[in-house]
Amino acid sequence: MRLLRSIYRQLDDRYRITPFVEKNVTKKLVPRTLGWGGCLGGLTFLLFIIQVYTGILLLIYYKPDPARAWDSVTFIKSNVQMGWLIQRVHAVGADIMIVLVLMHMARVAYYKIYRAPRELHWLSGVVLLMLTTMTAFTGYLLPWTNLSYWAASVGTEIPSAVPVVGVGISTWARRGPTISGETLGFFFAMHVWVLPALSVIFMAMHFTMIRRTGISKPL
Ligand code: HEM
């Protein structure tokens, strides 16, 4: 412990970590009228961090292959130490993150915080909402169960109702006419790399804009 403290002190002397954390996190001033609702965006972000952490752990054993996906998830749940817990936290965490992001959005809409100068907070938020739901949707197929197969089937069928381009979008999302191993590989890449990376970019935009305007002051 003493060694760790001394390493931290050395790093702190050089990189000024403590004043940065105090200014931006532990001693950051927020409006007195903020209330608990003001924590919803931060809680959504906390859930995102938990999802990334548990997702990385699951990746150690998960196999994105139709012949082995279901077995690998069963292996994680029954044979890997604490695997069942990591898998549950990741699955339930996805649901909680969606609920939180919707509550955060509802609060922002109720207090009309989308008005100038916060229009871009709202727009980047809408993109974040779509990215969050798409990440949850693509992740749902990965255990390759009957339920996840049919959820992906129904979900990817929805865009086909759009005139002219709809069927093309459905076929593109499935990487073919039906859900197959190709879909699993595509959803895996989206779930693990593309959508989280885009979420990080849009969260950076969201947070930079919030820093510029500060959090609003509800009456
Ligand atoms: C992954 C999703 C999201 C994360 C991690 C996130 C995070 C945050 C955080 C930490 C704040 C500052 C504290 C707060 O007011 O709660 C905030 C503020 C804000 N967010 Fe989000 N947010 C997300 C999605 C959304 C969505 C879906 C919308 C609306 C469509 C939205 C619109 C806003 C607005 C307008 C503010 C400014 C609030 C104020 O100034 O009081 N955000 N967000």
PDB file of all heavy atoms in Angstrom, residues 142-170:
ATOM      1  N   LEU A 142     -25.974 -12.637 -29.630  1.00  0.00           N
ATOM      2  CA  LEU A 142     -24.709 -13.350 -29.418  1.00  0.00           C
ATOM      3  C   LEU A 142     -24.825 -14.708 -28.687  1.00  0.00           C
ATOM      4  O   LEU A 142     -24.102 -15.635 -29.036  1.00  0.00           O
ATOM      5  CB  LEU A 142     -23.685 -12.438 -28.725  1.00  0.00           C
ATOM      6  CG  LEU A 142     -23.360 -11.130 -29.478  1.00  0.00           C
ATOM      7  CD1 LEU A 142     -22.188 -10.408 -28.825  1.00  0.00           C
ATOM      8  CD2 LEU A 142     -23.047 -11.376 -30.944  1.00  0.00           C
ATOM      9  N   PRO A 143     -25.717 -14.901 -27.676  1.00  0.00           N
ATOM     10  CA  PRO A 143     -25.795 -16.228 -27.038  1.00  0.00           C
ATOM     11  C   PRO A 143     -26.336 -17.308 -27.978  1.00  0.00           C
ATOM     12  O   PRO A 143     -26.271 -18.488 -27.669  1.00  0.00           O
ATOM     13  CB  PRO A 143     -26.752 -16.013 -25.856  1.00  0.00           C
ATOM     14  CG  PRO A 143     -26.857 -14.554 -25.685  1.00  0.00           C
ATOM     15  CD  PRO A 143     -26.571 -13.921 -26.997  1.00  0.00           C
ATOM     16  N   TRP A 144     -26.901 -16.882 -29.125  1.00  0.00           N
ATOM     17  CA  TRP A 144     -27.368 -17.812 -30.170  1.00  0.00           C
ATOM     18  C   TRP A 144     -28.387 -18.802 -29.625  1.00  0.00           C
ATOM     19  O   TRP A 144     -28.301 -20.010 -29.857  1.00  0.00           O
ATOM     20  CB  TRP A 144     -26.157 -18.526 -30.786  1.00  0.00           C
ATOM     21  CG  TRP A 144     -26.367 -19.037 -32.186  1.00  0.00           C
ATOM     22  CD1 TRP A 144     -26.319 -20.356 -32.576  1.00  0.00           C
ATOM     23  CD2 TRP A 144     -26.658 -18.300 -33.380  1.00  0.00           C
ATOM     24  NE1 TRP A 144     -26.562 -20.464 -33.929  1.00  0.00           N
ATOM     25  CE2 TRP A 144     -26.771 -19.220 -34.443  1.00  0.00           C
ATOM     26  CE3 TRP A 144     -26.860 -16.930 -33.659  1.00  0.00           C
ATOM     27  CZ2 TRP A 144     -27.047 -18.836 -35.761  1.00  0.00           C
ATOM     28  CZ3 TRP A 144     -27.134 -16.551 -34.975  1.00  0.00           C
ATOM     29  CH2 TRP A 144     -27.226 -17.499 -35.986  1.00  0.00           C
ATOM     30  N   THR A 145     -29.370 -18.283 -28.850  1.00  0.00           N
ATOM     31  CA  THR A 145     -30.469 -19.120 -28.357  1.00  0.00           C
ATOM     32  C   THR A 145     -31.654 -18.959 -29.309  1.00  0.00           C
ATOM     33  O   THR A 145     -31.631 -18.061 -30.177  1.00  0.00           O
ATOM     34  CB  THR A 145     -30.924 -18.672 -26.957  1.00  0.00           C
ATOM     35  OG1 THR A 145     -31.336 -17.297 -27.054  1.00  0.00           O
ATOM     36  CG2 THR A 145     -29.824 -18.779 -25.928  1.00  0.00           C
ATOM     37  N   ASN A 146     -32.688 -19.786 -29.124  1.00  0.00           N
ATOM     38  CA  ASN A 146     -33.900 -19.634 -29.937  1.00  0.00           C
ATOM     39  C   ASN A 146     -34.468 -18.236 -29.819  1.00  0.00           C
ATOM     40  O   ASN A 146     -34.852 -17.609 -30.802  1.00  0.00           O
ATOM     41  CB  ASN A 146     -34.963 -20.623 -29.444  1.00  0.00           C
ATOM     42  CG  ASN A 146     -34.905 -21.906 -30.238  1.00  0.00           C
ATOM     43  OD1 ASN A 146     -34.630 -21.874 -31.435  1.00  0.00           O
ATOM     44  ND2 ASN A 146     -35.132 -23.028 -29.594  1.00  0.00           N
ATOM     45  N   LEU A 147     -34.498 -17.761 -28.552  1.00  0.00           N
ATOM     46  CA  LEU A 147     -35.073 -16.447 -28.283  1.00  0.00           C
ATOM     47  C   LEU A 147     -34.286 -15.360 -29.015  1.00  0.00           C
ATOM     48  O   LEU A 147     -34.868 -14.471 -29.664  1.00  0.00           O
ATOM     49  CB  LEU A 147     -35.020 -16.195 -26.766  1.00  0.00           C
ATOM     50  CG  LEU A 147     -36.016 -15.204 -26.213  1.00  0.00           C
ATOM     51  CD1 LEU A 147     -37.436 -15.641 -26.520  1.00  0.00           C
ATOM     52  CD2 LEU A 147     -35.827 -15.056 -24.705  1.00  0.00           C
ATOM     53  N   SER A 148     -32.947 -15.438 -28.940  1.00  0.00           N
ATOM     54  CA  SER A 148     -32.153 -14.383 -29.571  1.00  0.00           C
ATOM     55  C   SER A 148     -32.255 -14.478 -31.092  1.00  0.00           C
ATOM     56  O   SER A 148     -32.283 -13.466 -31.783  1.00  0.00           O
ATOM     57  CB  SER A 148     -30.702 -14.406 -29.085  1.00  0.00           C
ATOM     58  OG  SER A 148     -30.092 -15.635 -29.311  1.00  0.00           O
ATOM     59  N   TYR A 149     -32.351 -15.714 -31.619  1.00  0.00           N
ATOM     60  CA  TYR A 149     -32.490 -15.891 -33.072  1.00  0.00           C
ATOM     61  C   TYR A 149     -33.763 -15.191 -33.565  1.00  0.00           C
ATOM     62  O   TYR A 149     -33.748 -14.424 -34.517  1.00  0.00           O
ATOM     63  CB  TYR A 149     -32.540 -17.391 -33.402  1.00  0.00           C
ATOM     64  CG  TYR A 149     -32.731 -17.674 -34.870  1.00  0.00           C
ATOM     65  CD1 TYR A 149     -31.646 -17.854 -35.710  1.00  0.00           C
ATOM     66  CD2 TYR A 149     -34.008 -17.740 -35.418  1.00  0.00           C
ATOM     67  CE1 TYR A 149     -31.829 -18.100 -37.074  1.00  0.00           C
ATOM     68  CE2 TYR A 149     -34.204 -17.980 -36.770  1.00  0.00           C
ATOM     69  CZ  TYR A 149     -33.109 -18.167 -37.586  1.00  0.00           C
ATOM     70  OH  TYR A 149     -33.306 -18.392 -38.929  1.00  0.00           O
ATOM     71  N   TRP A 150     -34.888 -15.454 -32.855  1.00  0.00           N
ATOM     72  CA  TRP A 150     -36.162 -14.884 -33.321  1.00  0.00           C
ATOM     73  C   TRP A 150     -36.247 -13.382 -33.057  1.00  0.00           C
ATOM     74  O   TRP A 150     -36.868 -12.649 -33.836  1.00  0.00           O
ATOM     75  CB  TRP A 150     -37.347 -15.647 -32.706  1.00  0.00           C
ATOM     76  CG  TRP A 150     -37.446 -17.011 -33.324  1.00  0.00           C
ATOM     77  CD1 TRP A 150     -37.187 -18.205 -32.734  1.00  0.00           C
ATOM     78  CD2 TRP A 150     -37.759 -17.305 -34.695  1.00  0.00           C
ATOM     79  NE1 TRP A 150     -37.313 -19.231 -33.644  1.00  0.00           N
ATOM     80  CE2 TRP A 150     -37.664 -18.709 -34.859  1.00  0.00           C
ATOM     81  CE3 TRP A 150     -38.099 -16.519 -35.805  1.00  0.00           C
ATOM     82  CZ2 TRP A 150     -37.904 -19.344 -36.084  1.00  0.00           C
ATOM     83  CZ3 TRP A 150     -38.339 -17.155 -37.019  1.00  0.00           C
ATOM     84  CH2 TRP A 150     -38.240 -18.540 -37.156  1.00  0.00           C
ATOM     85  N   ALA A 151     -35.599 -12.933 -31.968  1.00  0.00           N
ATOM     86  CA  ALA A 151     -35.572 -11.476 -31.714  1.00  0.00           C
ATOM     87  C   ALA A 151     -34.841 -10.777 -32.860  1.00  0.00           C
ATOM     88  O   ALA A 151     -35.307  -9.754 -33.384  1.00  0.00           O
ATOM     89  CB  ALA A 151     -34.871 -11.192 -30.387  1.00  0.00           C
ATOM     90  N   ALA A 152     -33.707 -11.341 -33.292  1.00  0.00           N
ATOM     91  CA  ALA A 152     -32.948 -10.739 -34.387  1.00  0.00           C
ATOM     92  C   ALA A 152     -33.748 -10.812 -35.684  1.00  0.00           C
ATOM     93  O   ALA A 152     -33.737  -9.884 -36.499  1.00  0.00           O
ATOM     94  CB  ALA A 152     -31.600 -11.439 -34.541  1.00  0.00           C
ATOM     95  N   SER A 153     -34.475 -11.949 -35.847  1.00  0.00           N
ATOM     96  CA  SER A 153     -35.288 -12.120 -37.051  1.00  0.00           C
ATOM     97  C   SER A 153     -36.358 -11.025 -37.145  1.00  0.00           C
ATOM     98  O   SER A 153     -36.509 -10.373 -38.176  1.00  0.00           O
ATOM     99  CB  SER A 153     -35.990 -13.470 -36.940  1.00  0.00           C
ATOM    100  OG  SER A 153     -35.799 -14.217 -38.054  1.00  0.00           O
ATOM    101  N   VAL A 154     -37.093 -10.849 -36.033  1.00  0.00           N
ATOM    102  CA  VAL A 154     -38.175  -9.860 -36.015  1.00  0.00           C
ATOM    103  C   VAL A 154     -37.588  -8.446 -36.137  1.00  0.00           C
ATOM    104  O   VAL A 154     -38.066  -7.624 -36.916  1.00  0.00           O
ATOM    105  CB  VAL A 154     -39.013 -10.001 -34.713  1.00  0.00           C
ATOM    106  CG1 VAL A 154     -40.008  -8.869 -34.575  1.00  0.00           C
ATOM    107  CG2 VAL A 154     -39.715 -11.348 -34.679  1.00  0.00           C
ATOM    108  N   GLY A 155     -36.514  -8.183 -35.380  1.00  0.00           N
ATOM    109  CA  GLY A 155     -35.905  -6.839 -35.377  1.00  0.00           C
ATOM    110  C   GLY A 155     -35.400  -6.428 -36.740  1.00  0.00           C
ATOM    111  O   GLY A 155     -35.596  -5.283 -37.173  1.00  0.00           O
ATOM    112  N   THR A 156     -34.765  -7.365 -37.451  1.00  0.00           N
ATOM    113  CA  THR A 156     -34.214  -7.010 -38.764  1.00  0.00           C
ATOM    114  C   THR A 156     -35.295  -7.006 -39.848  1.00  0.00           C
ATOM    115  O   THR A 156     -35.061  -6.543 -40.960  1.00  0.00           O
ATOM    116  CB  THR A 156     -33.075  -7.980 -39.175  1.00  0.00           C
ATOM    117  OG1 THR A 156     -33.543  -9.320 -39.041  1.00  0.00           O
ATOM    118  CG2 THR A 156     -31.832  -7.783 -38.340  1.00  0.00           C
ATOM    119  N   GLU A 157     -36.492  -7.544 -39.506  1.00  0.00           N
ATOM    120  CA  GLU A 157     -37.603  -7.542 -40.465  1.00  0.00           C
ATOM    121  C   GLU A 157     -38.261  -6.153 -40.516  1.00  0.00           C
ATOM    122  O   GLU A 157     -38.812  -5.755 -41.537  1.00  0.00           O
ATOM    123  CB  GLU A 157     -38.635  -8.601 -40.017  1.00  0.00           C
ATOM    124  CG  GLU A 157     -39.757  -8.895 -40.981  1.00  0.00           C
ATOM    125  CD  GLU A 157     -39.291  -9.549 -42.286  1.00  0.00           C
ATOM    126  OE1 GLU A 157     -38.270 -10.250 -42.255  1.00  0.00           O
ATOM    127  OE2 GLU A 157     -39.946  -9.319 -43.314  1.00  0.00           O
ATOM    128  N   ILE A 158     -38.175  -5.434 -39.373  1.00  0.00           N
ATOM    129  CA  ILE A 158     -38.899  -4.154 -39.271  1.00  0.00           C
ATOM    130  C   ILE A 158     -38.544  -3.175 -40.400  1.00  0.00           C
ATOM    131  O   ILE A 158     -39.439  -2.642 -41.047  1.00  0.00           O
ATOM    132  CB  ILE A 158     -38.685  -3.519 -37.872  1.00  0.00           C
ATOM    133  CG1 ILE A 158     -39.342  -4.414 -36.817  1.00  0.00           C
ATOM    134  CG2 ILE A 158     -39.261  -2.105 -37.795  1.00  0.00           C
ATOM    135  CD1 ILE A 158     -39.006  -4.054 -35.378  1.00  0.00           C
ATOM    136  N   PRO A 159     -37.241  -2.954 -40.695  1.00  0.00           N
ATOM    137  CA  PRO A 159     -36.941  -1.977 -41.754  1.00  0.00           C
ATOM    138  C   PRO A 159     -37.508  -2.361 -43.117  1.00  0.00           C
ATOM    139  O   PRO A 159     -37.693  -1.485 -43.968  1.00  0.00           O
ATOM    140  CB  PRO A 159     -35.401  -1.960 -41.823  1.00  0.00           C
ATOM    141  CG  PRO A 159     -34.912  -2.669 -40.627  1.00  0.00           C
ATOM    142  CD  PRO A 159     -36.017  -3.506 -40.100  1.00  0.00           C
ATOM    143  N   SER A 160     -37.839  -3.664 -43.324  1.00  0.00           N
ATOM    144  CA  SER A 160     -38.323  -4.070 -44.647  1.00  0.00           C
ATOM    145  C   SER A 160     -39.689  -3.452 -44.972  1.00  0.00           C
ATOM    146  O   SER A 160     -40.135  -3.489 -46.119  1.00  0.00           O
ATOM    147  CB  SER A 160     -38.381  -5.590 -44.756  1.00  0.00           C
ATOM    148  OG  SER A 160     -39.395  -6.072 -43.927  1.00  0.00           O
ATOM    149  N   ALA A 161     -40.365  -2.862 -43.954  1.00  0.00           N
ATOM    150  CA  ALA A 161     -41.653  -2.203 -44.204  1.00  0.00           C
ATOM    151  C   ALA A 161     -41.464  -0.849 -44.899  1.00  0.00           C
ATOM    152  O   ALA A 161     -42.411  -0.280 -45.438  1.00  0.00           O
ATOM    153  CB  ALA A 161     -42.397  -2.011 -42.888  1.00  0.00           C
ATOM    154  N   VAL A 162     -40.231  -0.326 -44.867  1.00  0.00           N
ATOM    155  CA  VAL A 162     -39.975   0.972 -45.514  1.00  0.00           C
ATOM    156  C   VAL A 162     -40.050   0.781 -47.031  1.00  0.00           C
ATOM    157  O   VAL A 162     -39.445  -0.164 -47.559  1.00  0.00           O
ATOM    158  CB  VAL A 162     -38.565   1.509 -45.122  1.00  0.00           C
ATOM    159  CG1 VAL A 162     -38.260   2.814 -45.831  1.00  0.00           C
ATOM    160  CG2 VAL A 162     -38.446   1.644 -43.613  1.00  0.00           C
ATOM    161  N   PRO A 163     -40.816   1.657 -47.732  1.00  0.00           N
ATOM    162  CA  PRO A 163     -40.932   1.477 -49.185  1.00  0.00           C
ATOM    163  C   PRO A 163     -39.571   1.581 -49.887  1.00  0.00           C
ATOM    164  O   PRO A 163     -38.680   2.285 -49.414  1.00  0.00           O
ATOM    165  CB  PRO A 163     -41.849   2.624 -49.619  1.00  0.00           C
ATOM    166  CG  PRO A 163     -42.486   3.121 -48.379  1.00  0.00           C
ATOM    167  CD  PRO A 163     -41.587   2.804 -47.242  1.00  0.00           C
ATOM    168  N   VAL A 164     -39.430   0.912 -50.976  1.00  0.00           N
ATOM    169  CA  VAL A 164     -38.280   0.928 -51.900  1.00  0.00           C
ATOM    170  C   VAL A 164     -36.991   0.363 -51.286  1.00  0.00           C
ATOM    171  O   VAL A 164     -36.500  -0.669 -51.720  1.00  0.00           O
ATOM    172  CB  VAL A 164     -38.030   2.352 -52.495  1.00  0.00           C
ATOM    173  CG1 VAL A 164     -36.995   2.257 -53.635  1.00  0.00           C
ATOM    174  CG2 VAL A 164     -39.308   2.989 -52.972  1.00  0.00           C
ATOM    175  N   VAL A 165     -36.447   1.052 -50.254  1.00  0.00           N
ATOM    176  CA  VAL A 165     -35.133   0.641 -49.750  1.00  0.00           C
ATOM    177  C   VAL A 165     -35.209  -0.393 -48.616  1.00  0.00           C
ATOM    178  O   VAL A 165     -34.190  -0.995 -48.258  1.00  0.00           O
ATOM    179  CB  VAL A 165     -34.340   1.873 -49.242  1.00  0.00           C
ATOM    180  CG1 VAL A 165     -33.881   2.730 -50.400  1.00  0.00           C
ATOM    181  CG2 VAL A 165     -35.135   2.663 -48.235  1.00  0.00           C
ATOM    182  N   GLY A 166     -36.430  -0.596 -48.056  1.00  0.00           N
ATOM    183  CA  GLY A 166     -36.584  -1.403 -46.836  1.00  0.00           C
ATOM    184  C   GLY A 166     -35.992  -2.802 -46.914  1.00  0.00           C
ATOM    185  O   GLY A 166     -35.210  -3.199 -46.043  1.00  0.00           O
ATOM    186  N   VAL A 167     -36.351  -3.548 -47.987  1.00  0.00           N
ATOM    187  CA  VAL A 167     -35.879  -4.939 -48.092  1.00  0.00           C
ATOM    188  C   VAL A 167     -34.342  -4.960 -48.180  1.00  0.00           C
ATOM    189  O   VAL A 167     -33.674  -5.802 -47.578  1.00  0.00           O
ATOM    190  CB  VAL A 167     -36.528  -5.625 -49.318  1.00  0.00           C
ATOM    191  CG1 VAL A 167     -35.974  -7.031 -49.506  1.00  0.00           C
ATOM    192  CG2 VAL A 167     -38.046  -5.673 -49.134  1.00  0.00           C
ATOM    193  N   GLY A 168     -33.792  -3.975 -48.911  1.00  0.00           N
ATOM    194  CA  GLY A 168     -32.325  -3.870 -49.028  1.00  0.00           C
ATOM    195  C   GLY A 168     -31.683  -3.664 -47.659  1.00  0.00           C
ATOM    196  O   GLY A 168     -30.663  -4.296 -47.342  1.00  0.00           O
ATOM    197  N   ILE A 169     -32.293  -2.812 -46.818  1.00  0.00           N
ATOM    198  CA  ILE A 169     -31.731  -2.559 -45.478  1.00  0.00           C
ATOM    199  C   ILE A 169     -31.766  -3.843 -44.647  1.00  0.00           C
ATOM    200  O   ILE A 169     -30.794  -4.208 -43.990  1.00  0.00           O
ATOM    201  CB  ILE A 169     -32.501  -1.418 -44.762  1.00  0.00           C
ATOM    202  CG1 ILE A 169     -32.362  -0.105 -45.530  1.00  0.00           C
ATOM    203  CG2 ILE A 169     -32.003  -1.241 -43.325  1.00  0.00           C
ATOM    204  CD1 ILE A 169     -33.192   1.043 -44.997  1.00  0.00           C
ATOM    205  N   SER A 170     -32.917  -4.568 -44.711  1.00  0.00           N
ATOM    206  CA  SER A 170     -33.048  -5.823 -43.939  1.00  0.00           C
ATOM    207  C   SER A 170     -31.993  -6.826 -44.374  1.00  0.00           C
ATOM    208  O   SER A 170     -31.332  -7.452 -43.541  1.00  0.00           O
ATOM    209  CB  SER A 170     -34.420  -6.451 -44.160  1.00  0.00           C
ATOM    210  OG  SER A 170     -35.360  -5.780 -43.396  1.00  0.00           O
TER     211      SER A 170
END
